[in-house]
Amino acid sequence: MDAARTVMTETPEPAAEAVGRVTPKASDEVARITPMMEQYIEIKAANPDCLLFYRMGDFYEMFFDDAEVASRALGIMLTKRGKHLGNDIPMCGVPIERADEYLHRLIALGHRVAVCEQLEDPAEAKKRGAKSVVRRDVVRLVTPGTLTEDSLLDAKRNNYLLALVRSRASADDDRFALAWIDISTGEFCVAECDRTSLAAEIARIEPGEIIVSDAFYADTELAPFLRSLPALTPLTRDVFDGATAERRLSAFFGVATTAAFGSFSRIELAAAAAAVTYVERTQLGKRPPLSVPARELGGATLAIDQATRGNLELVRTLSGERRGSLLAAIDRTVTAAGSRLLAQRLAAPLTDAAEIAHRLDAVAVFVDDGAARNDLRSGLKAVPDLARALARIVVGRGGPRDLAAIRDGILAAADFSARLARLGAAPRDIALAAAALCRPDAAIAAELKRALADELPASRRDGGFVRAGYELALDEARALRDESRRVVAALQVRYAETTGIRALKIRHNNVLGYFVDVSAQHGDKLLSAPLNLTFIHRQTLAGQVRFSTSELGDLEAKIANAAERALALELEIFDRLAAAVSTASAPIKEAANALAAIDVATALAALAAERDYVRPEVDGSLAFAITGGRHPVVEQARIADGGPFVANDCDLSPPPPTYPPPLAGENKEGAGRIWLVTGPNMAGKSTFLRQNALIAVLAQMGSYVPARAAHIGVVDRLFSRVGAADDLARGHSTFMVEMVETAAILNQAGERALVILDEIGRGTATFDGLSIAWATIEHLHESNRCRTLFATHFHEMTALAGKLNRLHNATMRVKEWQGDVVFLHEVVAGAADRSYGIQVAKLAGLPQSVIERAKVVLAQIEAEDRTSPARRLIDDLPLFAATRAAPASPRDGALNAVVDALAALNPDEMSPRQALEALYALKARLAKQS
Ligand code: ADP
Ligand code: MG
């Protein structure tokens, strides 16, 4: 940073801004504030919750606390600049050309940054007087949820800003509205939910930033939950004001009323308005090309809570990487937008069988037509990220390459529309995409094609992006500029001739402008008459002497003017093109979405063809019948290692109706089955459980699935829990986490849920664990009645199949071979008789002596276990009797009986002895029943 500081002092700052170069006298030190500091403090006061990037020349400077925070966060040097109220002002800065990189790091750490620019040339300020300060203001707030730059974003992921609003009907009847926006792509959705599904909804959206009202933020009951969320920004109440919501929202979209967007609840409107208000604030009034808010109906997507998402490793693994996740395993998209759409679909599988079928139809077309699939996919590879380029153009942050992306995107869209038309009769989703693809205005693409040069600079400020011949005035300015340059070259030749110095050169730098440069030995010649009349000495360096001439001065001004004029004209053209694009942004965005949809459909088809996936049958039944299912991620890993993956069936469909039909009131058939999966460690239980959950997710997102056949009745909630998963970060013990998560399932899972429980009850003592697992299974069977896969190492539980009619025992086949155990990874009906823990321990390399000793101990325990309480459980325990309504406890029953008996007594007609006997009888009754 030392070098950087040096550059700093060279920046053209008005003298008045050189705070602290003069040390004020002690007496006025306290009161004195320089005009620049005054400006800084004013701007900072308007943006108290942001780090202020204060533009000074080629740097963004930070002062005071900001400087301390940023220097620590970025590892840059903290210096000081002048004094404020008698104290040193801490300062640090980042060079503008590296600002994006530093911004990225600050944002990733959860900071918000206000970018304050110089709004005029320092020379302008000087004209107002030596003491005047360059006009500056904040042009943008950079927050985690409102980014547009490719350098700050992950191309393959959406980055959402989420506004969260609560309505308090009563203490236990909170409703929440969520509105989420990706300003880099224009997506905008709204939904409502209750307290139980709030966390799951947020986990699905994975917002980069969440905004809530101050009051909500301060809520003590929700505080622990809110604090656990990433980048939470509390804002003043007015942002969430319901009364002005409708007006703000319609103003943003420039419509008279939001009625045309569909009907929103009061809190949905408030959330949507809060989100757009925040977008406007951070973009300082610029309006990114948002789609009108799309309302998601409650229950339209498969509810998957955070623990389940993590556990199933849908979009990232438990260690946080994309590699190894389901998303990585199935992503065959070739565009960034396609990749984002695929991630969205994976995060929010559908629950409407007809919609799912539409998506599957689109995939099916390209599964069947491999030629069309390959053709489209190779074409898509060249398609730019239209949505993000468009967003940058509209908020005024775009460059020439973004315009080129829009040109290429529109042309590609038209081309793809024609290619899709050639497919013939297309299913709904493809027909919709084809229609959207030909909607953008072809004239815009044509205009951009005419206007843009072949080679484009990254920034429009660099100029040179407009094609020669596009605009006469620009061509003239450029000719003048280039002509002048030729004149300079000619001048150099002439000066060399007249002076006789062959090595004379005309050069240019920022300090001297154009100058004549000769080596020291020739310097004297120009310094003496008559040449000293033409050549005016400017600078003597070690080996060089430099001169200016009046001719050079004139030329310089001409060149600068011409170049300046050329750039100004180019910027004007840029603005014109950008405005044209902005006006036509809606159809361009639709085309971008359509391209992404085609990418996803063809990519899923490519996956299905490559991995031999099958189209699932998804309907409104409660079926769950998978034939030859495979784990999409483990399978690929196994194949990469050269091993086979063993396919397995799973059938959780309700058992066929019995005959004769059960008596009224007893009709408990029709609910799905529970598979209790036993088997030794490493046999493949967890893999089997997860593969079935993943197949359900894939099917409902509209993908083919890794199986020979799959029939799935729509799942509305998916739960997956693993015993003994640590969550130390949140301060829960292993067992506590396991129980909290199990409680959530037992309280929430309905008949349409799919529940995966992997070794629940493992985190505590054996009998505790067994008892909990036991009671959990009973509750799932009798009360939740949902399709369930339950892996356990408590083999005692397999006896439950005798009592619970929809419980099915399954086990992992293993073979014993010369005292070792071989895992066949095959799921078969039946119960494991042994856990082979010792064999697994042996495989893991435990010392032979320990293995031998363990065998002796095991034999002893097994002999005693014949009479253990767990063995008798099944015979002695009455069946779990829970119903959905809280059941009357035995205690209540006894009380009722006693109360009834008491009511039947008539003390007036009783002798003292009868009264005493009645009292004894009541006591006895109570004792017997409680
Ligand atoms: P468990 O839960 O029974 O301890 P896992 O499901 O963790 O066993 O599986 C252990 C390992 O066995 C996995 O990492 C995987 O490599 C392998 N495996 C599991 N299922 C299969 C299968 N169906 N085919 C091939 N290998 C499998
Ligand atoms: Mg396991």
Side-chain angles (χ1 to χ4, degrees):
M1 285 310 292
D2 269 336
R5 287 269 72 75
T6 320
V7 179
M8 217 333 279
T9 54
E10 280 181 13
T11 59
E13 281 297 305
E17 293 206 25
V19 191
R21 284 193 194 144
V22 226
T23 316
K25 284 199 213 87
S27 55
D28 59 15
E29 197 169 58
V30 173
R32 198 184 117 105
I33 298 180
T34 64
M36 191 209 74
M37 238 338 121
E38 205 175 315
Q39 180 192 54
Y40 173 85
I41 289 167
E42 190 187 321
I43 296 174
K44 174 68 197 176
N47 299 278
D49 50 356
C50 294
L51 296 173
L52 183 64
F53 267 32
Y54 183 82
R55 178 73 179 264
M56 292 177 75
D58 292 338
F59 274 75
Y60 288 119
E61 301 290 1
M62 281 160 282
F63 299 105
F64 301 107
D65 290 350
D66 282 6
E68 280 166 17
V69 170
S71 75
R72 231 176 297 130
L74 299 172
I76 55 178
M77 199 166 72
L78 189 65
T79 55
K80 36 184 198 255
R81 181 173 178 128
K83 285 185 185 286
H84 179 66
L85 304 179
N87 300 316
D88 286 336
I89 301 174
M91 172 177 92
C92 70
V94 300
I96 45 163
E97 69 270 17
R98 291 182 61 197
D100 268 5
E101 173 192 332
Y102 286 114
L103 269 176
H104 190 104
R105 281 160 61 190
L106 289 171
I107 298 302
L109 289 167
H111 294 289
R112 299 147 49 77
V113 177
V115 180
C116 172
E117 292 291 352
Q118 296 179 173
L119 298 184
E120 63 182 352
D121 201 287
E124 286 295 310
K126 238 178 215 160
K127 285 184 198 155
R128 288 198 303 271
K131 289 224 163 186
S132 56
V133 184
V134 179
R135 272 201 305 123
R136 291 187 178 86
D137 210 347
V138 171
V139 297
R140 171 179 185 212
L141 303 182
V142 188
T143 76
T146 56
L147 305 172
T148 51
E149 289 84 348
D150 278 341
S151 55
L152 303 181
L153 289 164
D154 180 345
K156 293 188 165 188
R157 286 187 53 198
N158 276 107
N159 183 47
Y160 291 114
L161 162 74
L162 170 68
L164 199 57
V165 170
R166 176 181 57 180
S167 86
R168 281 239 100 150
S170 63
D172 50 356
D173 186 24
D174 284 348
R175 295 291 298 170
F176 296 85
L178 305 95
W180 61 105
I181 291 177
D182 183 340
I183 73 162
S184 70
T185 61
E187 278 142 282
F188 187 1
C189 299
V190 186
E192 208 181 295
C193 71
D194 58 17
R195 176 70 186 91
T196 43
S197 41
L198 180 61
E201 286 286 288
I202 296 176
R204 157 166 78 102
I205 298 163
E206 277 201 283
E209 181 177 9
I210 303 176
I211 55 170
V212 294
S213 73
D214 283 336
F216 190 0
Y217 186 73
D219 184 286
T220 45
E221 185 211 330
L222 278 166
F225 170 66
L226 291 177
R227 302 297 183 275
S228 73
L229 299 172
L232 187 72
T233 310
L235 298 170
T236 49
R237 180 167 309 188
D238 54 315
V239 177
F240 295 87
D241 179 27
T244 57
E246 155 83 32
R247 186 169 51 67
R248 282 180 289 145
L249 204 54
S250 34
F252 186 95
F253 286 102
V255 294
T257 151
T258 56
F261 302 163
S263 66
F264 296 100
S265 70
R266 199 177 46 77
I267 53 172
E268 281 173 338
L269 268 182
V276 296
T277 301
Y278 188 66
V279 166
E280 285 194 307
R281 282 198 187 171
T282 55
Q283 307 307 304
L284 277 292
K286 297 225 180 63
R287 292 180 180 160
L290 300 186
S291 307
V292 298
R295 182 167 189 238
E296 260 186 25
L297 294 176
T301 60
L302 171 57
I304 313 173
D305 59 37
Q306 179 138 36
T308 302
R309 282 173 196 279
N311 181 226
L312 292 177
E313 308 192 306
L314 296 184
V315 297
R316 70 180 62 82
T317 61
L318 286 169
S319 55
E321 288 160 67
R322 181 182 162 107
R323 236 189 94 193
S325 67
L326 177 63
L327 179 57
I330 63 163
D331 189 354
R332 299 290 181 279
T333 58
V334 292
T335 66
S339 193
R340 292 195 296 268
L341 181 62
L342 185 75
Q344 270 174 32
R345 291 200 179 167
L346 181 56
L350 302 176
T351 52
D352 183 285
E355 277 305 311
I356 294 168
H358 283 308
R359 285 190 184 173
L360 288 169
D361 287 344
V363 180
V365 168
F366 299 117
V367 171
D368 297 343
D369 190 343
R373 176 178 78 228
N374 293 336
D375 169 52
L376 288 167
R377 279 164 61 73
S378 61
L380 279 166
K381 280 183 194 146
V383 172
D385 197 339
L386 198 49
R388 283 194 166 159
L390 181 67
R392 280 192 293 271
I393 291 289
V394 176
V395 296
R397 227 167 279 145
R401 290 176 192 170
D402 290 319
L403 286 180
I406 285 162
R407 170 196 66 198
D408 298 344
I410 295 177
L411 293 174
D415 172 38
F416 275 87
S417 173
R419 292 192 206 205
L420 291 177
R422 264 177 260 140
L423 287 176
R428 189 197 69 176
D429 284 8
I430 294 179
L432 285 174
L437 286 173
C438 54
R439 229 167 273 150
D441 189 353
I444 290 186
E447 186 68 14
L448 289 170
K449 210 170 161 184
R450 281 203 319 117
L452 294 175
D454 294 336
E455 299 278 322
L456 297 172
S459 162
R460 61 190 135 144
R461 302 241 133 247
D462 296 337
F465 54 85
V466 176
R467 190 183 287 286
Y470 177 68
E471 193 164 283
L472 188 63
L474 174 62
D475 289 344
E476 282 171 2
R478 279 177 175 167
L480 203 60
R481 178 193 68 192
D482 300 340
E483 170 62 18
S484 313
R485 284 192 183 139
R486 258 197 304 285
V487 174
V488 170
L491 200 59
Q492 176 174 308
V493 174
R494 179 148 60 81
Y495 283 165
E497 273 167 14
T498 50
T499 59
I501 305 170
R502 296 252 302 282
L504 178 147
K505 289 272 177 299
I506 294 181
R507 297 185 197 280
H508 183 272
N509 72 22
N510 284 330
V511 181
L512 296 181
Y514 282 100
F515 57 86
V516 172
D517 195 29
V518 296
S519 59
Q521 71 199 71
H522 297 301
D524 285 345
K525 194 168 179 184
L526 300 191
L527 284 168
S528 43
L531 289 176
N532 64 354
L533 294 178
T534 314
F535 295 92
I536 306 150
H537 177 253
R538 298 298 304 272
Q539 202 175 33
T540 302
L541 302 177
Q544 238 65 39
V545 190
R546 292 168 172 179
F547 301 85
S548 58
T549 71
S550 61
E551 259 172 314
L552 260 184
D554 289 349
L555 254 179
E556 165 128 39
K558 238 168 138 186
I559 292 171
N561 278 341
E564 215 169 89
R565 179 158 161 70
L567 183 60
L569 284 170
E570 281 204 75
L571 294 178
E572 241 170 61
I573 293 169
F574 184 94
D575 288 345
R576 224 160 55 217
L577 294 170
V581 167
S582 301
T583 332
S585 66
I588 297 178
K589 200 144 56 64
E590 282 172 37
N593 293 342
L595 286 168
I598 296 298
D599 189 13
V600 168
T602 50
L604 287 174
L607 171 77
E610 171 200 319
R611 301 251 75 105
D612 198 16
Y613 284 11
V614 69
R615 178 175 177 149
E617 184 189 346
V618 183
D619 58 25
S621 70
L622 286 175
F624 194 92
I626 313 296
T627 315
R630 286 119 54 201
H631 191 297
V633 183
V634 177
E635 177 188 34
Q636 288 184 28
R638 289 285 297 192
I639 288 169
D641 291 349
F645 187 90
V646 181
N648 279 304
D649 298 349
C650 175
D651 191 357
L652 306 176
S653 313
T658 52
Y659 191 84
L663 298 173
E666 268 182 23
N667 188 1
K668 288 198 165 182
E669 298 311 318
R673 283 200 178 95
I674 298 178
W675 272 28
L676 188 69
V677 186
T678 47
N681 271 319
M682 291 301 288
K685 299 185 297 299
S686 301
T687 306
F688 176 66
L689 260 56
R690 281 178 184 69
Q691 84 187 22
N692 287 297
L694 296 181
I695 286 172
V697 167
L698 286 171
Q700 292 188 212
M701 73 175 273
S703 167
Y704 278 34
V705 298
R708 275 203 311 284
H711 178 197
I712 297 174
V714 167
V715 175
D716 68 349
R717 301 184 90 116
L718 178 62
F719 293 98
S720 173
R721 291 297 179 279
V722 193
D726 268 299
D727 189 1
L728 295 177
R730 268 161 61 194
H732 291 311
S733 77
T734 301
F735 182 61
M736 185 64 188
V737 173
E738 190 182 320
M739 287 302 106
V740 166
E741 293 180 358
T742 308
I745 297 177
L746 297 181
N747 290 327
Q748 293 174 28
E751 204 170 49
R752 283 217 163 269
L754 177 63
V755 171
I756 306 295
L757 284 168
D758 194 352
E759 310 232 19
I760 283 297
R762 193 184 199 168
T764 182
T766 310
F767 286 137
D768 279 17
L770 172 58
S771 318
I772 290 168
W774 187 289
T776 299
I777 279 276
E778 287 184 344
H779 193 280
L780 285 165
H781 189 271
E782 294 301 296
S783 193
N784 303 98
R785 303 164 57 73
C786 50
R787 292 162 285 183
T788 304
L789 279 162
F790 195 110
T792 184
H793 62 292
F794 297 123
H795 298 162
E796 295 86 343
M797 289 178 58
T798 54
L800 268 168
K803 291 219 163 176
L804 305 177
N805 60 343
R806 298 188 322 281
L807 186 78
H808 169 86
N809 283 330
T811 185
M812 309 299 305
R813 258 187 76 201
V814 286
K815 217 166 61 185
E816 268 184 277
W817 193 72
Q818 297 186 346
D820 282 340
V821 53
V822 181
F823 301 117
L824 300 175
H825 303 305
E826 204 182 309
V827 181
V828 292
D833 50 347
R834 308 181 46 190
S835 47
Y836 297 97
I838 294 178
Q839 280 84 346
V840 175
K842 187 175 158 198
L843 285 181
L846 244 63
Q848 191 57 34
S849 57
V850 174
I851 299 289
E852 290 309 324
R853 176 64 183 150
K855 283 181 181 165
V856 173
V857 175
L858 178 67
Q860 183 78 27
I861 293 175
E862 279 183 341
E864 282 169 16
D865 192 43
R866 304 277 166 248
T867 55
S868 81
R871 293 259 165 195
R872 295 197 310 268
L873 261 179
I874 190 64
D875 303 322
D876 299 349
L877 274 181
L879 189 58
F880 181 78
T883 54
R884 283 232 160 251
S889 73
R891 172 108 209 151
D892 294 342
L895 276 177
N896 289 342
V898 171
V899 170
D900 289 347
L902 202 55
L905 297 180
N906 185 350
D908 292 339
E909 290 176 3
M910 292 168 115
S911 68
R913 188 189 168 110
Q914 281 171 325
L916 191 61
E917 275 170 2
L919 195 56
Y920 276 121
L922 286 173
K923 284 273 302 179
R925 206 160 185 161
L926 203 56
K928 198 169 95 203
Q929 295 200 27
S930 62

